[in-house]
Amino acid sequence: MVHREVAFILAGGRGSRLHPLTKERAKPALPFGGRYRIVDFVLSNLVNSGICSIYVLTQYKSQSLLRHLRDGILSGGLVRSSILGRGVHVHDGAVVEESIVFDSCEIGRRARIRRAILDEGVKVPEDAMIGYDVEQDRQQYSVSESGIVVVEASHSALDIWTK
């Protein structure tokens, strides 16, 4: 039997007990620990529990929360044991595992990335595979002794696709 869990986060109460802080934004959008927001605790717990189909329902002064959620977009892709920077877009069917993806990267549909570090602004085209064939990766990118692939920003989407 296949289980497919869906989570709904009810994010957007007025937060009257935190009134000075929630005057301009909903409680889940309050900053915590630098660039994080309170909602990130819930999102992290869900993803780490294997629940990746997540809907966030907003109510009160949701613009700040929506802007925060928009900064990192998973559009049907899957991210496991990875760190994503701001403005990263992981498109439908893409898989990112055990990787670090810096700001403003775009992972194309059905692309597969494993044990890689993507520099800021890297665009990975549809169906690309990085981190699955060490010898092929060595021809295109820097690969550490332990097999971690480093994709520099100087590689355009065309460079990644054609090499």
Side-chain angles (χ1 to χ4, degrees):
M1 177 185 291
V2 176
H3 294 281
R4 177 134 193 217
E5 295 84 8
V6 176
F8 291 89
I9 299 173
L10 303 176
R14 183 168 282 157
S16 57
R17 290 178 293 189
L18 297 174
H19 176 66
L21 300 173
T22 58
K23 182 178 178 184
E24 300 297 324
R25 65 183 73 188
K27 188 167 37 176
L30 289 175
F32 185 88
R35 66 181 243 181
Y36 300 102
R37 305 293 174 107
I38 290 176
V39 73
D40 292 334
F41 289 100
V42 177
L43 293 169
S44 176
N45 286 335
L46 288 169
V47 171
N48 288 325
S49 298
I51 301 171
C52 297
S53 188
I54 303 168
Y55 296 87
V56 179
L57 306 174
T58 62
Q59 272 181 290
Y60 174 78
K61 298 200 178 201
S62 60
Q63 189 59 39
S64 176
L65 177 61
L66 294 173
R67 190 171 36 251
H68 175 69
L69 293 172
R70 181 196 68 209
D71 282 347
I73 297 175
L74 292 176
S75 177
L78 178 63
V79 176
R80 288 189 190 125
S81 303
S82 298
I83 298 172
L84 303 181
R86 290 181 182 256
V88 172
H89 295 250
V90 181
H91 291 280
D92 191 43
V95 177
V96 179
E97 298 177 295
E98 300 176 6
S99 297
I100 299 172
V101 181
F102 283 89
D103 295 350
S104 304
C105 289
E106 187 163 342
I107 314 301
R109 292 176 186 214
R110 299 175 306 278
R112 300 181 62 80
I113 299 169
R114 180 174 66 186
R115 299 190 71 218
I117 300 172
L118 275 59
D119 196 6
E120 185 173 358
V122 168
K123 296 193 182 337
V124 178
E126 292 184 2
D127 300 309
M129 292 184 72
I130 298 172
Y132 288 85
D133 183 341
V134 176
E135 292 309 314
Q136 184 178 1
D137 290 335
R138 277 200 171 100
Q139 294 173 9
Q140 300 174 52
Y141 317 112
S142 300
V143 181
S144 73
E145 289 180 17
S146 61
I148 305 227
V149 181
V150 178
V151 180
E152 298 176 46
S154 61
H155 290 293
S156 70
L158 183 60
D159 290 337
I160 293 172
W161 184 252
T162 59
K163 289 186 178 181

